Amino acid sequence: MGKKPNLLETATRETLIALIESQAEQNRLLKAQVVELQARVEKLEHRLNKNSSNSSKPPSSDGLKKPKPKSRREKGKRQSGGQPGHSGETLKMVAQPDAVVTHGHTLCPHCNHDTTSDRLERIVKRQVFDLPPMQMQVTEHQAEVKVCPCCHQRSRAAFPEPVKAPTQYGPNVLAHAAYLNSYHLIPVAGVREWFADCTGQAVSEGTIERALKQFADAVAPSLDVIYQGLTQADVVHYDETGFRVNTGLRWLHTACTEHVSYYSVHLKRGSEAMLDIGVLPNSRGWAVHDGLKSYFSFETVRHALCNAHHLRELQFAHEQYQADWAKQMQKLLLKMKTHDDEQTLTRKRIRKLEAEYDALIRQGFEVFPIQPRPPDHKGRFAQHPVTNLLIRLRDHREAVLAFLHHPEVPFDNNLAERDLRMMKVKQKISGCFRTWAGAEVFAAVRSYLATARKQGVSMLHAACLAFAGKPFIPAIPE
């Protein structure tokens, strides 16, 4: 007969096996937790180390730790200041001054001789340019009332069309108020103070707000022309930024060219907003924008990506992960831009530059490969941020390098970013718009004034035309 099993040994073995399995499970859970925590730490480090020089964060978000500017431009050979041939902005004398003050010569400063009756040799002129004291000019309109001797009916002469109330402000006052608030971003209360200090007449805040609404209504024909011009343009720049309305996050969208600007406020950022605004879906030319995926859902346009964004993201990849390929890609893109600016690109040169581009992409994927989705993972699997950048540079290669093949396509989207930059300043000053209608009024007025500025028209004059019922209609290049 075999030896009977020892119950104590069996129990001990089962206990050890259970303990080992329990520890193995704990190790698995701890490893998973370590991986999760590492990912969270990396994400927080990304957020901490990003600034306006290596990401799309605005300079205003840098705070007191604002990094020292690092220009990617090569040092120029010219000295600073005006260059030979530059016309300059020197203040020049006018032929017909508004007033002349004569300073008589009556006494010789050397011997005290009375020179009153002596011969005049010449006159030395100096002109002072200054503003006259500002004050409101009040024009009273008087309409005669008479009784007809034939029909014995009383009637009154007609007032001019713009004169509708016993007292009111004229178009120049309203134009100044709208111009100061909408373009120079002075809050309504500040505009009121400006009028009080400069003219002695404090225009009420309600009057200023009504003037803005009247301005937006008056420029509707101009906005229609701007919209049509954008849909027909060969190249249009697009961008969007967060915009607070009544403490809620909304979005301000812009579509612009070198000649016109168009702003729209929308609840959303993506393709739904772009469809509602209508410029992008009705265009057929080039659309220059950042890497937001919603733009690529529109196939009626040809896409060109902003390489200023790529330069910043490559800078972050180099700083955060010591990615040598990213630094080389930066240099390559800037070299491409230099050749494009100097018009030294040939087909052979373009093929060589594109081959360098493809080689750097492959080099990047060797260090930051695409990770396969785990079998138990549901939904979209997040890749490493640098891997996502590589995927964009690879999958949208034609959009990244569009400027190489098409001279009309710019290297970056700075035109749209410049149009939006002051909108962030507006939010910094005012905090937010209290009403949706106020935000829409601001977008309409700003579109009109920014377009006037691009077309070389005085914005104040354009505002006066709008309040006179004859808004400036922009010229659209064919």
Side-chain angles (χ1 to χ4, degrees), residues 305-348:
L305 283 172
C306 173
N307 284 298
H309 279 74
H310 296 145
L311 292 176
R312 293 193 290 265
E313 293 179 71
L314 290 165
Q315 182 71 24
F316 181 77
H318 176 67
E319 292 176 352
Q320 187 71 13
Y321 300 103
Q322 294 74 50
D324 292 335
W325 71 268
K327 193 66 177 177
Q328 295 302 316
M329 181 64 83
Q330 266 191 328
K331 293 180 179 179
L332 177 61
L333 289 174
L334 290 172
K335 182 166 67 173
M336 290 176 175
K337 181 180 185 300
T338 301
H339 284 296
D340 184 54
D341 291 342
E342 296 176 356
Q343 298 181 352
T344 57
L345 286 171
T346 61
R347 289 184 178 276
K348 183 178 179 181

Side-chain angles (χ1 to χ4, degrees), residues 398-419:
E398 292 184 3
V400 175
L401 303 181
F403 71 98
L404 276 180
H405 301 272
H406 306 277
E408 70 274 20
V409 177
F411 177 79
D412 51 44
N413 195 30
N414 286 348
L415 189 64
E417 292 185 5
R418 284 196 297 268
D419 271 9

Side-chain angles (χ1 to χ4, degrees), residues 93-388:
M93 285 189 172
V94 298
Q96 298 294 331
D98 298 302
V100 176
V101 178
T102 302
H103 302 280
H105 191 296
T106 59
L107 190 67
C108 176
H110 304 289
C111 64
N112 292 331
H113 169 69
D114 185 359
T115 61
T116 304
S117 59
D118 292 345
R119 181 179 65 85
L120 178 66
E121 180 181 302
R122 63 190 178 93
I123 291 177
V124 178
K125 298 179 181 180
R126 294 181 179 180
Q127 295 183 346
V128 177
F129 291 70
D130 201 356
L131 287 173
M134 297 182 66
Q135 62 181 21
M136 289 285 184
Q137 179 180 342
V138 181
T139 301
E140 182 175 275
H141 293 262
Q142 299 179 349
E144 296 180 342
V145 179
K146 294 183 178 180
V147 178
C148 178
C150 294
C151 64
H152 307 289
Q153 296 292 320
R154 181 178 284 104
S155 60
R156 187 199 68 190
F159 284 104
E161 175 61 27
V163 182
K164 298 180 179 180
T167 58
Q168 66 182 70
Y169 290 108
N172 286 336
V173 171
L174 302 180
H176 273 82
Y179 167 66
L180 292 172
N181 175 262
S182 297
Y183 198 83
H184 292 290
L185 311 178
I186 301 175
V188 171
V191 175
R192 182 179 185 276
E193 292 176 2
W194 184 89
F195 274 103
D197 291 340
C198 295
T199 70
Q201 180 70 42
V203 180
S204 71
E205 294 185 16
T207 297
I208 298 171
E209 290 174 350
R210 287 192 295 273
L212 290 169
K213 176 64 169 61
Q214 181 182 344
F215 195 174
D217 293 338
V219 301
S222 299
L223 299 185
D224 290 341
V225 173
I226 293 172
Y227 178 90
Q228 292 298 326
L230 287 168
T231 59
Q232 299 168 11
D234 293 332
V235 179
V236 181
H237 295 251
Y238 299 90
D239 204 359
E240 70 290 324
T241 187
F243 211 54
R244 292 203 168 272
V245 180
N246 193 21
T247 71
L249 179 61
R250 303 295 181 257
W251 295 91
L252 179 71
H253 295 253
T254 185
C256 62
T257 67
E258 294 180 352
H259 306 283
V260 298
S261 294
Y262 189 76
Y263 297 96
S264 304
V265 185
H266 201 278
L267 291 170
K268 297 186 178 180
R269 183 187 186 189
S271 56
E272 182 180 338
M274 298 169 189
L275 279 169
D276 290 343
I277 294 168
V279 176
L280 183 54
N282 289 309
S283 297
R284 297 295 181 270
W286 284 97
V288 185
H289 52 79
D290 57 25
L292 183 66
K293 288 187 177 181
S294 301
Y295 287 110
F296 290 102
S297 62
F298 297 92
E299 299 179 354
T300 57
V301 294
R302 304 178 71 181
H303 297 275
L305 283 172
C306 173
N307 284 298
H309 279 74
H310 296 145
L311 292 176
R312 293 193 290 265
E313 293 179 71
L314 290 165
Q315 182 71 24
F316 181 77
H318 176 67
E319 292 176 352
Q320 187 71 13
Y321 300 103
Q322 294 74 50
D324 292 335
W325 71 268
K327 193 66 177 177
Q328 295 302 316
M329 181 64 83
Q330 266 191 328
K331 293 180 179 179
L332 177 61
L333 289 174
L334 290 172
K335 182 166 67 173
M336 290 176 175
K337 181 180 185 300
T338 301
H339 284 296
D340 184 54
D341 291 342
E342 296 176 356
Q343 298 181 352
T344 57
L345 286 171
T346 61
R347 289 184 178 276
K348 183 178 179 181
R349 183 62 178 165
I350 290 175
R351 285 195 298 270
K352 183 178 179 181
L353 292 171
E354 289 180 328
E356 293 181 41
Y357 178 92
D358 295 336
L360 287 173
I361 295 293
R362 289 192 296 271
Q363 183 179 334
F365 274 122
E366 291 176 1
V367 185
F368 299 94
I370 299 175
Q371 299 297 328
R373 186 174 66 179
D376 58 344
H377 186 86
K378 296 182 179 180
R380 183 175 175 269
F381 180 63
Q383 297 287 340
H384 192 279
V386 179
T387 305
N388 287 331

